């Protein structure tokens, strides 16, 4: 397997906590949004659910532990910042994409 390095694309599996945070941000925006024509971009997108897999870019590799920070690209106009995540097949973990 390749080594995790900044800029590499991996697949991240949302945990229940991740989904709750994402959906709350989107709900907060939906209930408080006002058209101000300022260029502000709110959090909107399809519902996030535990186990859903999204592409993510590695933005930092921690030297002291086998963990990375990820910018997860969601099914919407926003991203999710997943910090100190380990490689694996469980929720809250990332994996290398399958090469076909």
């Amino acid at each position: 397997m390749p080594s995790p390095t900044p800029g590499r694309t991996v697949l991240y599996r949302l945990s229940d906590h991740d989904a709750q945070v994402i959906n709350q941000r989107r709900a907060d925006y939906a209930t408080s949004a006002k058209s101000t024509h300022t260029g502000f971009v709110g959090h909107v997108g399809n519902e996030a659910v535990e186990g859903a897999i999204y592409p993510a870019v590695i933005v930092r590799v921690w030297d002291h532990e086998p963990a990375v920070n990820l910018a997860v690209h969601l099914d919407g106009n926003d991203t999710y910042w997943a910090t100190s995540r380990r490689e694996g097949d469980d929720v809250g973990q990332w994996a290398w994409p399958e090469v076909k």
Side-chain angles (χ1 to χ4, degrees):
M1 278 290 139
S3 296
T5 54
R8 300 292 298 266
T9 299
V10 296
L11 299 176
Y12 180 71
R13 187 180 305 266
L14 294 181
S15 69
D16 181 60
H17 179 262
D18 297 330
Q20 287 179 28
V21 169
I22 293 161
N23 290 328
Q24 185 62 56
R25 285 191 323 198
R26 291 174 173 177
D28 289 348
Y29 173 73
T31 59
S32 65
K34 294 183 173 65
S35 178
T36 59
H37 303 288
T38 62
F40 173 77
V41 177
H43 301 280
V44 295
N46 291 316
E47 180 183 15
V49 295
E50 178 181 14
I53 298 172
Y54 293 103
V57 175
I58 297 172
V59 295
R60 174 139 191 196
V61 178
W62 295 105
D63 294 331
H64 61 281
E65 59 180 286
V68 300
N69 288 355
L70 301 167
V72 183
H73 296 272
L74 302 171
D75 187 10
N77 72 339
D78 52 349
T79 59
Y80 178 67
W81 187 249
T83 59
S84 299
R85 304 306 166 108
R86 297 179 187 280
E87 184 177 1
D89 296 323
D90 218 349
V91 296
Q93 295 182 326
W94 62 271
W96 294 105
E98 194 176 310
V99 178
K100 293 185 179 190

